[in-house]
Amino acid sequence: KHYINKLEALMEEVNNEDKLAAAPVLQQVAPGRLCVAVFPQDNRWYRARIEHVEDEEMCSVFYLDHGDAGPVPRSCVKEPWDGIMQLPFQAIEACLGAILPMNGQQWTKDSGDELWDMVFEKMLFAQVLSVGPSEHGNNNRYQMELYNTSAEYDIITSQELVIQGHGVMSGSPEWVNMMFPMAADPAWTESHPDPAEQICLLCAQMCQTSDPDRTVELAKKIESIVINNPTKHEAMRETRGVSSVCLVLGYYTQPAVLESLVVSLGYMVINSQANCDEVRTAGGLRVLCRLLKKDYRPEVQKQLVWALKQLAVNDRNRQAIEELGGLTTLSGI
């Protein structure tokens, strides 16, 4: 609140007409130079830093308090005057550490628009994965995960972007360690020798590998363990096996991987009311409904429908499936 009030006062100072009129246009336009620059979308002035010079007419700037960047005419870049650079720059550089752009490319405008719709004017929970040097020289750069916690289940921002086709899992060690802390704990593995208790470890290994064949192999191994241990559903839940499958399910698009994970969830909940509830509260029911709307091959669609039928064993789950659009999608298949 303290810095918000100070920033609001600073914005009034930066946009003071008399002081702007008296401020000379920046003469030595070079990367790293601090300035005040107009933001074309609202024609207001902000503290900025020159990123690079495009030509004699244009330069690119980074807005130090709001994180935007873009080209502006050099005539709209002015020398900062005394006092306006004293407040620490307010933009916090951050990225989603769990995912990367599709096919190793740059993030697209559509991806940015999707992210904007997911976060704009929403109260989100942020979990920091790591802190590194800023790419813009603006203090630190935070790798994080964002959660919308307004519903019964958390909506994981990176997972939603993958489901929407905007990214792929990065498999970063920081993210894997945060999601699967037991994977780095030898004592945990020793105290849980039963394969039915190690599903979470297999999910962690799936996230760590970049080999598609290995990912399929691990998903099939999870499926085999679940099917061959019908009396150990409780142990699977208590050792985070159920919630781990719900988590990784939303990060894959390979049909063979999806099919095995969906089958695993379907078998995990058979004759287990507690596991049905766990799938719902861990976000797995939502992911299944989201995947059902995608155009996957018939085998995957068939298993998605089957798994949802296994989960629709009580009023709460049936209501959740309806709220998530699952019933509407099922009627159209």
Side-chain angles (χ1 to χ4, degrees):
K1 183 69 174 178
H2 172 74
Y3 278 115
I4 291 176
N5 292 336
K6 283 186 171 292
L7 182 59
E8 290 176 350
L10 176 67
M11 289 300 97
E12 293 299 319
E13 169 77 6
V14 172
N15 284 275
N16 181 285
E17 292 184 4
D18 293 336
K19 293 186 177 180
L20 276 172
V25 172
L26 191 69
Q27 295 301 313
Q28 296 180 349
V29 179
R33 285 292 307 274
L34 298 179
C35 59
V36 291
V38 75
F39 186 57
Q41 277 79 351
D42 62 8
N43 286 318
R44 286 176 61 81
W45 294 75
Y46 298 89
R47 299 192 298 179
R49 183 180 56 241
I50 305 296
E51 292 291 280
H52 61 267
V53 179
E54 298 187 5
D55 53 40
E56 293 184 357
E57 300 293 330
M58 301 291 292
C59 64
S60 181
V61 302
F62 175 76
Y63 296 94
L64 296 162
D65 295 307
H66 296 83
D68 296 285
V72 294
R74 291 173 60 166
S75 60
C76 294
V77 177
K78 294 197 169 191
E79 293 275 2
W81 52 92
D82 291 344
I84 65 169
M85 290 298 179
Q86 292 180 353
L87 183 71
F89 303 140
Q90 298 298 293
I92 298 174
E93 188 177 343
C95 68
L96 292 172
I99 58 173
L100 297 169
M102 296 291 292
N103 303 316
Q105 304 297 316
Q106 296 293 317
W107 292 108
T108 65
K109 183 181 183 300
D110 286 345
S111 298
D113 291 344
E114 183 71 31
L115 177 61
W116 179 260
D117 290 341
M118 293 175 64
V119 304
F120 182 61
E121 293 188 343
K122 293 182 174 65
M123 184 66 72
L124 304 177
F125 174 77
Q127 192 164 17
V128 176
L129 306 178
S130 64
V131 181
S134 168
E135 291 186 356
H136 293 282
N138 202 37
N139 298 319
N140 296 317
R141 183 173 191 257
Y142 297 85
Q143 283 198 5
M144 61 175 60
E145 185 58 88
L146 295 175
Y147 303 85
N148 186 330
T149 60
S150 60
E152 180 183 21
Y153 43 82
D154 293 345
I155 298 176
I156 307 173
T157 302
S158 64
Q159 185 188 67
E160 181 65 15
L161 287 171
V162 172
I163 292 174
Q164 291 291 343
H166 292 291
V168 295
M169 181 190 294
S170 69
S172 73
E174 295 86 359
W175 184 81
V176 174
N177 290 338
M178 181 185 74
M179 293 299 189
F180 306 99
M182 70 290 291
D185 184 1
W188 194 96
T189 305
E190 292 176 4
S191 62
H192 298 84
D194 192 323
E197 299 177 327
Q198 295 188 354
I199 291 174
C200 59
L201 300 182
L202 294 173
C203 288
Q205 291 175 36
M206 286 181 63
C207 297
Q208 291 168 326
T209 184
S210 58
D211 181 353
D213 293 335
R214 175 62 174 159
T215 304
V216 173
E217 177 187 337
L218 289 166
K220 289 187 177 297
K221 186 173 182 179
I222 292 173
E223 179 185 1
S224 176
I225 291 172
V226 173
I227 291 175
N228 292 317
N229 290 275
T231 63
K232 297 180 179 180
H233 291 165
E234 183 175 349
M236 294 175 191
R237 183 184 70 257
E238 292 178 347
T239 54
R240 288 193 55 190
V242 176
S243 62
S244 294
V245 173
C246 291
L247 173 67
V248 300
L249 178 62
Y251 283 98
Y252 290 97
T253 58
Q254 295 167 265
V257 174
L258 288 176
E259 190 171 352
S260 288
L261 294 178
V262 171
V263 169
S264 299
L265 274 186
Y267 274 96
M268 281 176 169
V269 303
I270 292 176
N271 299 322
S272 177
Q273 181 68 51
N275 281 10
C276 285
D277 291 338
E278 177 83 355
V279 171
R280 186 186 72 252
T281 58
L285 196 56
R286 178 180 183 277
V287 173
L288 288 169
C289 290
R290 300 287 282 149
L291 293 176
L292 191 63
K293 298 177 182 180
K294 310 297 285 187
D295 188 22
Y296 289 115
R297 67 189 190 189
E299 293 87 348
V300 177
Q301 292 278 10
K302 178 181 177 181
Q303 298 303 344
L304 285 166
V305 171
W306 173 78
L308 284 171
K309 287 181 178 179
Q310 305 309 310
L311 284 156
V313 295
N314 59 36
D315 291 340
R316 185 66 192 90
N317 275 15
R318 284 192 292 271
Q319 179 184 350
I321 293 172
E322 183 176 3
E323 292 172 352
L324 292 164
L327 293 182
T328 303
T329 306
L330 283 171
S331 65
I333 296 178

